[in-house]
Structures are given as structure tokens and as C-alpha cells.
Amino acid sequence: MHTVTATLPSGSTAYSGVTCVEPGDPAATTAPILTPGRILEAFKRIPLPEAPLNIQPPDGETLVNFDTILHTQAEPFQESVRLLGRQITFDITPTTFTWALGDGESMTTTDPGRAYAKGVPMDQYVSHRYTEAGSVTLQLTTTWGARWRLGSGPWRDVDGTVTMTSPAEDLQVRTAQPQLVSYD
């Protein structure tokens, strides 16, 4: 890793970042410099998979004071790109999930949640309890982080993240009405 400086019009120099030059890279002296900013811009151009917001119970309805389960599908993946004539590999991972719950509350987790499964305790889910009936609109923002490497060199962290927001999902929060069905 080499420090990159810029020469200012006054003649002084200023820190501009670092670049990575792998030993034996013939392009090292002629290729443009791989700066953290260029790496981040390349990361931002990679198409990220959608991470849709899933809500249970399904069909857009839940009950007041009932655990409403939230989950998404977001898996780590790798993507290779050409940047300034060099092969760069990104190892991309969802780092946080911000759940906007539609009732003025939100929560951020590192867990994408999971679908309901019989016998799994509630503390194993990402869930929320609404305290009032009404219509709410939920949204999920997934933050992706990455590390990168040049060829088969060492992995380095990307200096920044990328966020992706799912389409909004409407939910009706209803109050259950008790009803006597038998007098026995």
C-alpha cells in the first residue's frame, strides 16, 4: 500500500489517500491509481440483489399487541469488476437492516430475520408489537458493506457502504373483537 499525495497550486502537498500496488504488477507504474474513492465508486455501481420486506402474518393484516414478524432475504456474495484496467473482486455482505415500522418507531438489526417456524421461540425473530389500531406503512433499508482485493492479493475494507430501500408495504393493524361462540 502506498500513500498518494496531491500537489496543490501553492506548491505544497496534501494527503489524498492510499493505493494498492501488488508486487510484480506491470501496470503499477503506468496505470491510474486505485484510490479508496475509486474503489467505493466501483462498489456503488455493482447491482445489489433486492432485499424485499416480508411481514407475517401475511395478507397485510396484524393485531394490536400481537408479535408481527419481519424478515428479508439478503445473502453475502462476490462480484468481480474491471477497474482502471485491473481485476477487482468485491466480497459484499449485508451489514445492517433498518426497519421503519410505520408507527413512528424504527429498529436497526444485524439480523435479516426469519420466517415463522413452529417451535421457534419469539426471541429468535425480528418482530414488533403495534399498540394502536390503524394503517401503517413499513419499509426496510439494507446497508451493504464490502471488502475488496486486487487479483489474489490481500482483502481490504471498502471505505464506505451502500444502502438499498425496499418498496413500502402497507399493513392494517386491527383490534381483535372477542366473540362468544358457545355457552357450554
Side-chain angles (χ1 to χ4, degrees):
M1 201 170 304
H2 299 281
T3 300
V4 177
T5 58
T7 302
L8 304 174
S10 66
S12 63
T13 58
Y15 175 79
S16 182
V18 293
T19 184
C20 295
V21 179
E22 297 301 323
D25 183 353
T29 58
T30 59
I33 297 171
L34 295 174
T35 62
R38 286 181 172 158
I39 297 295
L40 178 59
E41 286 304 313
F43 173 40
K44 288 180 177 180
R45 287 192 303 269
I46 294 173
L48 298 172
E50 289 189 29
L53 172 60
N54 296 299
I55 303 167
Q56 290 178 300
D59 302 325
E61 292 186 334
T62 192
L63 295 173
V64 169
N65 295 321
F66 183 79
D67 288 309
T68 302
I69 297 171
L70 310 170
H71 59 97
T72 189
Q73 184 68 30
E75 299 290 331
F77 68 100
Q78 287 190 349
E79 185 76 29
S80 293
V81 299
R82 300 264 326 145
L83 177 63
L84 302 175
R86 297 184 183 129
Q87 185 75 21
I88 305 290
T89 302
F90 288 95
D91 185 29
I92 303 168
T93 305
T95 58
T96 60
F97 304 90
T98 302
W99 314 85
L101 302 166
D103 61 353
E105 292 190 38
S106 66
M107 65 179 157
T108 300
T109 68
T110 56
D111 183 354
R114 65 186 308 161
Y116 175 79
K118 187 176 180 178
V120 175
M122 277 311 297
D123 66 355
Q124 299 295 306
Y125 296 99
V126 173
S127 66
H128 180 66
R129 284 187 179 199
Y130 291 93
T131 58
E132 294 180 16
S135 297
V136 294
T137 301
L138 292 83
Q139 209 159 24
L140 170 63
T141 300
T142 304
T143 300
W144 297 84
R147 57 188 190 147
W148 68 278
R149 69 178 177 189
L150 177 62
S152 60
W155 287 104
R156 298 170 177 92
D157 290 334
V158 172
D159 189 18
T161 59
V162 177
T163 59
M164 178 181 233
T165 301
S166 70
E169 294 287 333
D170 294 327
L171 183 66
Q172 286 294 320
V173 181
R174 303 200 186 278
T175 302
Q177 300 296 324
Q179 184 176 3
L180 183 61
V181 294
S182 176
Y183 200 64
D184 299 4

